Amino acid sequence: MSAPVPNRPLRLGMVGGGSGAFIGAVHRIAARLDGEYTLIAGALSSTPEKSRASGEALGLSRVYDDYLAMAKAEARRKDGIEAVAIVTPNHMHAGPAIEFLKRGIHVICDKPLTATMAEAKKLAAAAAKADALFVLTHNYTGYPMIRQARAMVAAGEIGRVRLVQVEYVQDWLTEAAEKSGSKQAEWRTDPERSGAGGATGDIGTHAYNLACFVSGLTAEALAADLSIFVPGRALDDNAHVLLRFEGGARGMLWASQVAPGNENGLRLRVYGDKGGLEWAQEDPNYLWFTPFGEPRRRITRNGAGARPEAGRMSRIPPGHPEGYLEGFSNIYAEAARAIRAHQAGEKVPEGVLYPTLADGLAGMRFVEACVQSSRRNAGWVTL
Amino acid sequence: MSAPVPNRPLRLGMVGGGSGAFIGAVHRIAARLDGEYTLIAGALSSTPEKSRASGEALGLSRVYDDYLAMAKAEARRKDGIEAVAIVTPNHMHAGPAIEFLKRGIHVICDKPLTATMAEAKKLAAAAAKADALFVLTHNYTGYPMIRQARAMVAAGEIGRVRLVQVEYVQDWLTEAAEKSGSKQAEWRTDPERSGAGGATGDIGTHAYNLACFVSGLTAEALAADLSIFVPGRALDDNAHVLLRFEGGARGMLWASQVAPGNENGLRLRVYGDKGGLEWAQEDPNYLWFTPFGEPRRRITRNGAGARPEAGRMSRIPPGHPEGYLEGFSNIYAEAARAIRAHQAGEKVPEGVLYPTLADGLAGMRFVEACVQSSRRNAGWVTL
Amino acid sequence: MSAPVPNRPLRLGMVGGGSGAFIGAVHRIAARLDGEYTLIAGALSSTPEKSRASGEALGLSRVYDDYLAMAKAEARRKDGIEAVAIVTPNHMHAGPAIEFLKRGIHVICDKPLTATMAEAKKLAAAAAKADALFVLTHNYTGYPMIRQARAMVAAGEIGRVRLVQVEYVQDWLTEAAEKSGSKQAEWRTDPERSGAGGATGDIGTHAYNLACFVSGLTAEALAADLSIFVPGRALDDNAHVLLRFEGGARGMLWASQVAPGNENGLRLRVYGDKGGLEWAQEDPNYLWFTPFGEPRRRITRNGAGARPEAGRMSRIPPGHPEGYLEGFSNIYAEAARAIRAHQAGEKVPEGVLYPTLADGLAGMRFVEACVQSSRRNAGWVTL
Amino acid sequence: MSAPVPNRPLRLGMVGGGSGAFIGAVHRIAARLDGEYTLIAGALSSTPEKSRASGEALGLSRVYDDYLAMAKAEARRKDGIEAVAIVTPNHMHAGPAIEFLKRGIHVICDKPLTATMAEAKKLAAAAAKADALFVLTHNYTGYPMIRQARAMVAAGEIGRVRLVQVEYVQDWLTEAAEKSGSKQAEWRTDPERSGAGGATGDIGTHAYNLACFVSGLTAEALAADLSIFVPGRALDDNAHVLLRFEGGARGMLWASQVAPGNENGLRLRVYGDKGGLEWAQEDPNYLWFTPFGEPRRRITRNGAGARPEAGRMSRIPPGHPEGYLEGFSNIYAEAARAIRAHQAGEKVPEGVLYPTLADGLAGMRFVEACVQSSRRNAGWVTL
């Protein structure tokens, strides 16, 4: 099971995540769950007043009016934050990330990387120069059975990969929620704040990241048919994508926010010439494995057949379900291990895995390519 | 539940379906299950000797050396067969179908329609002139909950259809079974006998047919990425297809015979602006229905929420599963109703539904378009 | 897969099963499905008029006013029926069964054996003297994966059996359906026609039979807490039963007809010191097998891991579901094999299995013991 | 969703939970997850050395040699702990609980209440006199959909309750793990440390508690057939129990630790005269609800159909699974709400629910009655 809790939690700050935000609360729980971080500082909202109110509600020691003030002040303190969580809408990722990175403060940033490819490149350049880590919360890679699946593919248990089928299906934008007061819907359907991708950026990037993470493959080209089903919407709410991977594997990716009856239906299936793997986020404690010609097997988190790569991401015995927050926490815990190694002047320990800037850039390229392809009537675009 | 068993079974003949064949036995059970047919004549194999041996094993009254002899002789008899089941490989559908049709003997033919579009057109022309019915066994449309789904869509219960996601996934051709003695694999991977489509023709046509049957929509264009994963194979064993329907709905179709862990994973999901429907052939007695914003509901065959369109296809109470053979029999029963109406000089009774030549031609066009599109690097092809 | 269809169907008669009856139609399909029987004679209803009308609707060659007339007449004919299906309410089993058996006509009788133990013993005595077989349609033992389970237990794959948990749960008697015109509900809640057991007799006997069939164990004692939840009902509509088996295994049996949301929830779980098996009738094509300390495996009908004992009960490839009617037909097919052997003066072929009078007597004793135990406040009753 | 995080975490101590313990780590995460507590003091092991080592590994501010020293010292401090978590084996619950309670320190104690009824009564007497709360971690009552189920029953959505079927099934004691070095197995199968119940006490109490919590009913009598299947074991590893509730409802409870293939199979089904509810701990985000005569509905945590009673126990949107740790945390969060109210001199806020001493006593009585009944050959014992 999980490693012993460390003696001293890392000092964490947060940009965004004021009251009313959804993902900020998730990051706070994820940071806290394993005792790896203690949240002490924040610039939580777009206005100083709101930021202050939110900071007080959270009992933070130090609340700032804006992220720049926070980056400057914290960098000067001996007991300043060691890492910052950036949980703003997409267009507000690059700015703060660059400011903290250049001051040596590690960044844990929500996905997708940025709103635009231009910002993404600027951020990448800043990160390359910085003496600090950049961690992107493609949180689904923190699920134990996803680690299990990746390890099984890498070990050749399904043979050479031929097919990667992935989907992330929701229904919450079936109607124009952005016009009836949902803040979440507002910014996620707004190109200014979200970027060029709608469902593509918001959930398609997760699906794409997961497909590559588990299969161990790089996609070479895609053909995308994006749709806007809800009248008046500016960004895609459904994406149908064909994928071609290096080495000849092929895949399909479906991302939708308009499929009634689906909540967070992220589902991955990978097939090779010797076996197949199937996993669903809504039922994450199981991985279904079929060696070709044998009965299907249900491998459980921490149960029989689970590998160390899954076990180290798990806290409790099998049959006691862990979920979304635990998977998210695993990314925070992996980040903590990497940060502690960095602080000690050591390499990231073997087996520690977290999504990086490279993953973020790949996600941005995925969105960009989807949009390009769709404009060209679903013609192939090289990745 | 099902209509009262009629007094007199229809006299049925069979072309193909000799010993060793899979689908012939299925047709025989389907014809027998509801007591609607009695099998009395056959030309069951490619050689007179085998045909005779198979006919004797089945206890047929009249066994013929070949289908032409059978068509001629039966047409002359007062007690000749009233319908014939054609269960040969694809390239042997058109020949016998034309001979029986032109002699006024109703034809119940396995899918896909033919091996080539040229044959399909010849058959269509013959059928148009004939005083006999042509029934294609797209048997999955006989499942009660598929009828339920179609009726619900037609009644507007999911609103305007936006998305149609369909897949038919198998694993039995993961390795080169056609080289290790499987007769089924041999002809199904042989362009001479199967036609231009591999997985596309064998199971993709079923998926395509089902998607159109339930959604009530016509597909206007497709883009297909066909693959051959098993070295040495001449026909696609995996098909990734994007679909565009009339009125703006879009879809994805995945047909595969190389996905380990999947047996007959035919799964259909249809989403509209008011709700969603999900169904899986391996668990066919349930239809999952979600009115947008309400909890998901499980409608059972003959149970609460089931419509008359489903009930009339069902024989026993809910909770007692019916399966593939019952669904197949439903097509035979629908055909019997149509044949009896034809014999009585009446119109096909309202509500009686069976796949026709038009469905067969649409399937042939689907295969042809998939192959064309794939050759053009998954460019769109109008249907 | 299933054996070749025989040349000549056996001539079958039917007692009961006139229009409106549920189980009669099931028996007819089961007899017909594999082509093993042809139904030619019947005494289908309680009055000559109804019997005649039902017989005509079914297109029977010979319709009788009552079962005695039928037994006498058919026994005299050269082309008389070789077997008779008895599908009347429980109190009408013993009478006809005895008349046919004593004339050498094989009997296929619906369960439970009779309405009273006195009748059961009389029937047993008659059967012991008769030169004809008695087959009881505990149809669930005809499911392929039940045969698989039994064979696995017998082969020691779960070790020494410790626990047998079985339940058969319905909801159709949640309200007083017997007072609102349901004929099924009327006789099944009527002690005159059903006997001393309500849910106990109607579905509890199935559950009990299945538990013993699969585990290979004999129950030695039971303690039962029977309830009548619907006011005015004379027979139990819920049964809670503790079981003790020979050799120390223990079990629980739950039979209910008042559990809303359950249709035909027959579920069996058997655990030994080396592994466990789980099966559910509503999803009958799978058997879940866990060797202790290994991942759970899903064995499919005719798929990987299926044994010959399951394969011979199966008609089509895995992934194409077979259901209740196929399982019922398997009992008819097993009976046909036994009858043909009897006709040839041979022993029943090895591996052919069907529920017998002994099973029927055990079921009667189960009901009797449940009632006794419940009257004694759930004290133990030896079986 | 969940209430805003409070400004100041409560100061928490821990008794037991040193390295190697399972449930201690769970309590620590549960205390931490919502930011309601900060763990600062502990007496973590049976020896001062081990206690100190464990305390250091956890980074505690104050580590004590034993619980008495801790109770005395903390009670004297101004910044002493406000609550203590007791996570020792059962026989070590009463001692520390009494010491902390009598000093006004709130107690959060693992279940079952104690090892013996005598201890339980002593503890109850102490609690009655104390100015501090006693919270028992029957953690499964913290699952959102269990709250939903309880609220639905209370609101009459399934009508008058007739049946309560509950089971808690594991397999980890299928072999004699207590003889091969499992500390968990050792104390849980040891009457000195566990008390009179094996599976009965360890998991049966959870099942019993849940059944009563959701149904809102009090059990009046039980009949239990306890078994020891593994040779040499002193306590039951399987329990079959019949239940009778006030008002005429009846139930079955099955607790087993020797059923291969089951991890933590806690499953509850409650049926009334108007509907039914089903829930399984391994898939805890769903509650299945069937109004009699309507299709089964899947209510999801925080999704359509979820009530406020479930929503307030939930942190994230539906489709993102929460699990065991979140449910456990909910008990800690409820306790925090009660403690804060107590500190403010207020009543526990309406809707705040946590398992109390009364639940603990009921569980002890359940174990005692099971043992009594089993000794009397499963005779009824009044509760």
Side-chain angles (χ1 to χ4, degrees):
Chain A
M1 307 209 188
S2 62
V5 174
N7 294 348
R8 191 184 60 76
L10 296 167
R11 295 182 298 275
L12 182 69
M14 181 169 277
V15 176
S19 44
F22 148 62
I23 204 68
V26 167
H27 279 255
R28 286 192 293 271
I29 294 176
R32 193 162 56 217
L33 194 141
D34 289 314
E36 298 272 2
Y37 300 83
T38 179
L39 181 65
I40 57 172
L44 302 164
S45 283
S46 44
T47 72
E49 295 71 33
K50 282 194 206 163
S51 182
R52 216 157 299 150
S54 292
E56 270 165 36
L58 291 173
L60 297 192
S61 310
R62 303 189 289 271
V63 184
Y64 296 91
D65 286 0
D66 59 69
Y67 71 79
L68 190 58
M70 175 166 151
K72 287 178 177 171
E74 291 292 323
R76 276 196 299 264
R77 298 180 69 108
K78 264 202 173 160
D79 64 347
I81 57 171
E82 298 163 279
V84 68
I86 299 179
V87 297
T88 43
N90 309 348
H91 71 305
M92 288 293 295
H93 289 178
I98 291 169
E99 293 301 330
F100 286 95
L101 283 173
K102 77 180 182 195
R103 288 174 177 85
I105 294 171
H106 306 288
V107 169
I108 300 171
C109 182
D110 208 70
K111 48 51 56 189
L113 188 58
T114 55
T116 68
M117 186 56 96
E119 289 167 357
K121 287 183 177 162
K122 237 171 102 182
L123 172 50
K129 279 187 279 181
D131 185 29
L133 302 173
F134 182 90
V135 176
L136 193 71
T137 51
H138 270 312
N139 57 290
Y140 301 106
T141 63
Y143 271 113
M145 300 320 278
I146 284 297
R147 297 296 178 106
Q148 169 86 15
R150 176 185 161 98
M152 289 179 73
V153 172
E157 295 204 38
I158 63 165
R160 184 186 175 85
V161 174
R162 289 170 169 172
L163 291 164
V164 183
Q165 305 287 122
V166 67
E167 61 188 44
Y168 197 146
V169 194
Q170 302 178 327
D171 68 3
W172 69 294
L173 295 179
T174 293
E175 296 178 353
E178 64 270 33
K179 292 185 183 156
S180 48
S182 161
K183 299 229 162 192
Q184 291 297 322
E186 278 169 28
W187 78 257
R188 285 173 205 261
T189 59
D190 175 6
E192 294 300 313
R193 286 177 278 177
S194 270
T200 317
D202 193 26
I203 54 176
T205 49
H206 273 311
Y208 180 71
N209 178 260
L210 204 66
C212 298
F213 182 78
V214 169
S215 70
L217 297 177
T218 303
E220 292 183 336
L222 65 73
D225 198 25
L226 307 187
S227 306
I228 297 173
F229 282 111
V230 174
R233 195 164 279 166
L235 294 176
D236 67 273
D237 47 26
N238 189 83
H240 285 156
V241 187
L242 303 178
L243 293 167
R244 290 181 182 164
F245 294 89
E246 56 175 348
R250 296 194 178 177
M252 278 177 141
L253 182 152
W254 176 38
S256 186
Q257 297 178 314
V258 294
N262 292 280
E263 293 175 337
N264 280 287
L266 173 57
R267 186 181 179 212
L268 177 67
R269 297 178 283 180
V270 185
Y271 303 104
D273 57 11
K274 292 194 164 48
L277 291 171
E278 305 189 355
W279 180 84
Q281 192 269 153
E282 297 192 355
D283 203 12
N285 294 282
Y286 303 124
L287 180 69
W288 295 92
F289 169 47
T290 311
F292 179 61
E294 296 184 25
R296 182 173 280 233
R297 299 172 192 174
R298 193 188 73 172
I299 303 176
T300 61
R301 206 204 72 247
N302 249 340
R307 302 170 65 101
E309 289 89 344
R312 63 182 286 276
M313 296 282 104
S314 182
R315 293 159 190 80
I316 46 176
H320 278 146
E322 294 190 62
Y324 175 88
L325 293 169
E326 288 83 352
F328 216 112
S329 297
N330 284 337
I331 300 297
Y332 265 83
E334 292 285 69
R337 288 175 202 118
I339 291 169
R340 291 180 200 282
H342 183 274
Q343 290 176 338
E346 294 163 6
K347 291 207 320 189
V348 173
E350 187 151 7
V352 169
L353 281 175
Y354 57 85
T356 65
L357 231 145
D359 294 294
L361 286 168
M364 293 304 292
R365 179 58 192 142
F366 166 78
V367 173
E368 187 181 58
C370 283
V371 173
Q372 283 171 359
S373 171
S374 197
R375 284 195 187 132
R376 293 190 224 147
N377 197 22
W380 289 98
V381 172
T382 304
L383 288 161
Chain B
M1 307 211 186
S2 60
V5 173
N7 295 346
R8 190 184 62 75
L10 296 168
R11 294 183 299 275
L12 183 70
M14 181 169 277
V15 176
S19 45
F22 148 62
I23 204 68
V26 167
H27 279 255
R28 284 191 293 270
I29 295 175
R32 193 162 55 216
L33 195 141
D34 289 314
E36 298 272 3
Y37 299 84
T38 180
L39 181 65
I40 56 171
L44 303 164
S45 284
S46 45
T47 72
E49 295 71 33
K50 282 193 208 165
S51 182
R52 217 157 298 151
S54 292
E56 271 165 37
L58 291 172
L60 298 192
S61 310
R62 302 191 288 272
V63 185
Y64 296 90
D65 286 1
D66 59 69
Y67 70 79
L68 190 57
M70 175 165 152
K72 287 178 177 169
E74 292 292 323
R76 276 194 300 265
R77 297 180 69 107
K78 265 200 171 161
D79 65 347
I81 57 172
E82 297 163 281
V84 66
I86 299 178
V87 297
T88 43
N90 310 348
H91 70 305
M92 286 294 294
H93 289 177
I98 292 169
E99 294 301 331
F100 286 95
L101 284 173
K102 77 180 182 197
R103 289 175 176 85
I105 294 170
H106 305 290
V107 168
I108 299 171
C109 181
D110 209 68
K111 48 48 59 187
L113 188 59
T114 55
T116 68
M117 186 56 95
E119 289 167 358
K121 287 182 178 164
K122 236 171 103 184
L123 172 51
K129 280 186 280 181
D131 184 29
L133 302 174
F134 182 90
V135 177
L136 193 71
T137 52
H138 270 313
N139 57 291
Y140 301 106
T141 62
Y143 271 113
M145 300 319 278
I146 284 297
R147 298 295 178 106
Q148 170 86 14
R150 175 185 162 99
M152 289 179 73
V153 172
E157 295 205 38
I158 64 165
R160 184 185 174 85
V161 174
R162 289 169 168 173
L163 291 165
V164 183
Q165 305 287 123
V166 67
E167 61 188 43
Y168 196 146
V169 194
Q170 302 178 327
D171 67 4
W172 68 295
L173 295 178
T174 293
E175 295 178 354
E178 64 270 34
K179 291 186 184 157
S180 47
S182 160
K183 299 229 161 191
Q184 290 298 320
E186 278 170 26
W187 79 258
R188 283 172 207 263
T189 59
D190 175 5
E192 295 299 314
R193 286 177 278 177
S194 270
T200 318
D202 194 26
I203 55 178
T205 49
H206 273 311
Y208 180 72
N209 178 260
L210 203 67
C212 298
F213 182 78
V214 169
S215 70
L217 298 177
T218 303
E220 291 183 336
L222 64 74
D225 199 23
L226 307 187
S227 305
I228 297 174
F229 282 111
V230 173
R233 195 165 278 167
L235 295 176
D236 66 273
D237 47 26
N238 189 82
H240 285 156
V241 186
L242 303 178
L243 293 167
R244 289 181 182 162
F245 294 89
E246 56 175 347
R250 295 195 179 179
M252 279 178 139
L253 182 151
W254 176 37
S256 187
Q257 298 178 314
V258 295
N262 293 279
E263 293 176 339
N264 279 288
L266 173 58
R267 186 182 178 212
L268 177 67
R269 297 178 283 180
V270 184
Y271 304 103
D273 57 10
K274 292 195 163 49
L277 290 171
E278 305 189 355
W279 181 83
Q281 191 267 152
E282 297 192 354
D283 205 11
N285 294 281
Y286 304 124
L287 180 69
W288 295 91
F289 169 48
T290 311
F292 180 60
E294 296 184 26
R296 181 173 281 233
R297 299 172 192 173
R298 192 188 73 172
I299 302 175
T300 60
R301 207 202 72 247
N302 248 341
R307 302 171 65 101
E309 290 89 344
R312 62 183 286 277
M313 295 282 104
S314 182
R315 292 159 190 81
I316 46 177
H320 278 146
E322 294 190 61
Y324 175 89
L325 293 169
E326 288 83 352
F328 217 112
S329 297
N330 284 337
I331 300 298
Y332 264 84
E334 292 284 68
R337 287 175 203 119
I339 290 170
R340 292 180 200 282
H342 184 275
Q343 291 177 337
E346 293 163 7
K347 289 207 321 186
V348 173
E350 188 151 6
V352 169
L353 281 175
Y354 57 85
T356 64
L357 231 146
D359 295 294
L361 286 168
M364 294 305 293
R365 179 60 191 142
F366 167 78
V367 173
E368 186 181 59
C370 283
V371 173
Q372 283 171 359
S373 170
S374 197
R375 283 193 189 136
R376 293 190 223 147
N377 199 23
W380 289 98
V381 172
T382 304
L383 287 162
Chain C
M1 305 208 188
S2 60
V5 174
N7 294 347
R8 191 183 62 75
L10 296 167
R11 294 183 299 275
L12 182 70
M14 180 168 276
V15 176
S19 44
F22 148 62
I23 205 69
V26 167
H27 278 256
R28 286 192 291 270
I29 295 175
R32 191 161 58 215
L33 194 141
D34 290 314
E36 298 272 4
Y37 300 84
T38 181
L39 181 65
I40 56 172
L44 303 164
S45 284
S46 45
T47 71
E49 295 71 34
K50 283 193 206 164
S51 181
R52 216 159 297 152
S54 292
E56 268 165 39
L58 293 172
L60 297 192
S61 309
R62 302 190 287 272
V63 185
Y64 295 91
D65 286 0
D66 59 69
Y67 70 81
L68 190 58
M70 176 166 149
K72 288 177 178 171
E74 292 292 322
R76 275 195 301 265
R77 296 180 69 108
K78 264 202 172 159
D79 65 347
I81 57 171
E82 298 162 280
V84 66
I86 299 177
V87 296
T88 43
N90 309 348
H91 71 306
M92 287 293 295
H93 289 177
I98 291 169
E99 293 301 329
F100 285 95
L101 283 173
K102 77 179 182 197
R103 290 175 176 84
I105 295 171
H106 305 289
V107 169
I108 300 171
C109 181
D110 209 68
K111 47 51 58 187
L113 187 59
T114 54
T116 68
M117 186 57 96
E119 289 167 356
K121 287 183 178 161
K122 233 171 105 184
L123 172 51
K129 278 186 279 179
D131 184 29
L133 302 173
F134 182 89
V135 176
L136 193 71
T137 51
H138 270 311
N139 57 291
Y140 301 106
T141 63
Y143 270 112
M145 299 319 278
I146 284 297
R147 298 294 178 106
Q148 169 87 15
R150 176 184 162 98
M152 289 179 73
V153 172
E157 294 205 39
I158 64 166
R160 184 184 176 85
V161 173
R162 289 170 168 172
L163 291 165
V164 184
Q165 305 287 122
V166 67
E167 61 188 43
Y168 196 146
V169 194
Q170 302 178 327
D171 68 5
W172 69 295
L173 295 179
T174 293
E175 296 178 353
E178 65 270 33
K179 293 186 183 157
S180 48
S182 161
K183 299 228 162 193
Q184 292 297 321
E186 279 169 28
W187 78 257
R188 284 172 206 262
T189 60
D190 175 7
E192 294 300 314
R193 286 176 279 177
S194 270
T200 318
D202 194 25
I203 55 177
T205 48
H206 273 311
Y208 180 71
N209 177 259
L210 204 67
C212 297
F213 182 78
V214 169
S215 70
L217 297 177
T218 302
E220 291 183 335
L222 63 74
D225 199 24
L226 307 188
S227 306
I228 297 173
F229 282 111
V230 173
R233 194 165 278 167
L235 295 177
D236 67 273
D237 47 26
N238 189 83
H240 285 156
V241 187
L242 303 179
L243 293 167
R244 290 182 182 162
F245 294 89
E246 56 175 348
R250 295 195 178 178
M252 279 177 139
L253 182 151
W254 176 37
S256 187
Q257 297 179 313
V258 295
N262 293 279
E263 294 176 336
N264 280 288
L266 172 58
R267 185 182 179 212
L268 177 67
R269 297 177 283 180
V270 185
Y271 304 103
D273 57 10
K274 291 195 164 48
L277 291 172
E278 305 188 355
W279 180 83
Q281 191 267 152
E282 297 192 355
D283 204 11
N285 294 281
Y286 303 124
L287 180 69
W288 294 91
F289 169 47
T290 311
F292 180 59
E294 296 184 27
R296 182 172 280 234
R297 299 171 193 174
R298 193 187 72 172
I299 302 177
T300 61
R301 207 202 71 247
N302 247 341
R307 303 171 64 102
E309 290 89 343
R312 63 182 284 277
M313 294 282 103
S314 182
R315 293 158 189 81
I316 46 176
H320 278 145
E322 294 190 61
Y324 175 88
L325 293 169
E326 288 83 352
F328 217 112
S329 298
N330 284 336
I331 300 298
Y332 264 84
E334 292 285 68
R337 288 176 201 118
I339 290 170
R340 291 180 201 283
H342 184 275
Q343 292 177 335
E346 293 163 7
K347 289 207 322 188
V348 173
E350 188 151 4
V352 169
L353 282 175
Y354 57 86
T356 64
L357 230 146
D359 294 294
L361 286 168
M364 293 305 293
R365 178 63 190 140
F366 166 79
V367 173
E368 187 181 58
C370 283
V371 173
Q372 283 172 358
S373 171
S374 197
R375 284 194 188 135
R376 293 190 225 146
N377 199 22
W380 288 99
V381 173
T382 304
L383 289 163
Chain D
M1 307 209 188
S2 61
V5 174
N7 295 348
R8 190 184 61 75
L10 296 167
R11 295 183 298 276
L12 183 70
M14 181 168 276
V15 176
S19 44
F22 148 63
I23 204 69
V26 167
H27 278 255
R28 286 192 291 271
I29 295 175
R32 192 162 56 216
L33 194 141
D34 289 315
E36 299 272 4
Y37 300 84
T38 179
L39 180 65
I40 57 171
L44 302 163
S45 284
S46 46
T47 73
E49 295 71 33
K50 282 194 206 164
S51 182
R52 216 158 298 150
S54 291
E56 270 166 37
L58 291 173
L60 298 191
S61 310
R62 303 189 288 272
V63 185
Y64 296 91
D65 286 359
D66 59 69
Y67 70 79
L68 191 57
M70 177 166 150
K72 288 178 176 170
E74 291 292 322
R76 276 195 299 264
R77 297 178 69 107
K78 266 202 169 158
D79 64 348
I81 57 170
E82 299 162 279
V84 67
I86 299 178
V87 296
T88 43
N90 309 348
H91 70 306
M92 287 293 294
H93 289 178
I98 291 168
E99 293 301 330
F100 286 95
L101 284 172
K102 77 180 183 196
R103 289 175 177 84
I105 294 171
H106 305 290
V107 169
I108 300 171
C109 181
D110 210 69
K111 47 51 57 187
L113 188 59
T114 55
T116 67
M117 186 56 96
E119 290 167 355
K121 288 182 176 162
K122 236 172 102 183
L123 173 50
K129 279 185 279 180
D131 185 28
L133 302 173
F134 181 90
V135 176
L136 193 71
T137 51
H138 270 311
N139 58 290
Y140 301 106
T141 62
Y143 271 112
M145 299 320 277
I146 284 296
R147 298 295 178 106
Q148 170 86 15
R150 176 184 162 98
M152 288 178 74
V153 172
E157 295 205 37
I158 63 166
R160 184 186 176 85
V161 173
R162 290 171 169 172
L163 291 165
V164 183
Q165 305 287 123
V166 68
E167 61 187 43
Y168 196 146
V169 194
Q170 302 179 326
D171 68 3
W172 69 294
L173 294 178
T174 292
E175 296 178 353
E178 63 270 35
K179 292 187 183 155
S180 48
S182 162
K183 299 229 162 193
Q184 291 297 322
E186 278 169 28
W187 79 257
R188 284 173 205 261
T189 59
D190 175 7
E192 295 299 314
R193 286 176 279 178
S194 270
T200 317
D202 194 25
I203 55 177
T205 49
H206 273 310
Y208 180 71
N209 177 259
L210 203 67
C212 298
F213 182 79
V214 169
S215 69
L217 297 177
T218 303
E220 292 184 337
L222 64 73
D225 198 25
L226 306 188
S227 307
I228 297 174
F229 282 112
V230 173
R233 195 165 278 166
L235 295 176
D236 67 272
D237 47 25
N238 190 83
H240 285 155
V241 186
L242 302 179
L243 293 167
R244 289 181 183 164
F245 295 88
E246 56 175 348
R250 297 198 176 175
M252 278 178 140
L253 182 151
W254 176 38
S256 187
Q257 297 178 313
V258 295
N262 293 279
E263 294 176 337
N264 280 288
L266 173 57
R267 185 181 180 212
L268 177 66
R269 297 177 283 180
V270 184
Y271 304 104
D273 58 10
K274 290 195 163 49
L277 291 171
E278 306 189 355
W279 180 83
Q281 192 267 154
E282 298 193 354
D283 203 12
N285 294 281
Y286 303 123
L287 180 69
W288 294 92
F289 169 47
T290 311
F292 179 60
E294 295 184 26
R296 181 173 280 233
R297 300 171 192 174
R298 194 187 72 172
I299 303 176
T300 62
R301 206 202 72 248
N302 249 340
R307 301 170 66 100
E309 290 89 343
R312 62 181 287 276
M313 295 283 104
S314 182
R315 292 158 189 81
I316 46 176
H320 278 146
E322 295 190 63
Y324 175 89
L325 294 169
E326 288 83 353
F328 217 112
S329 298
N330 284 337
I331 300 298
Y332 265 83
E334 292 284 68
R337 288 175 201 119
I339 290 169
R340 292 180 200 282
H342 184 274
Q343 292 177 337
E346 292 163 5
K347 289 205 324 186
V348 173
E350 188 151 5
V352 169
L353 281 175
Y354 56 87
T356 66
L357 232 145
D359 295 293
L361 286 168
M364 293 305 293
R365 178 61 192 142
F366 166 78
V367 173
E368 187 181 59
C370 283
V371 173
Q372 283 172 358
S373 170
S374 197
R375 284 195 188 134
R376 293 192 223 146
N377 199 23
W380 289 97
V381 172
T382 304
L383 289 163

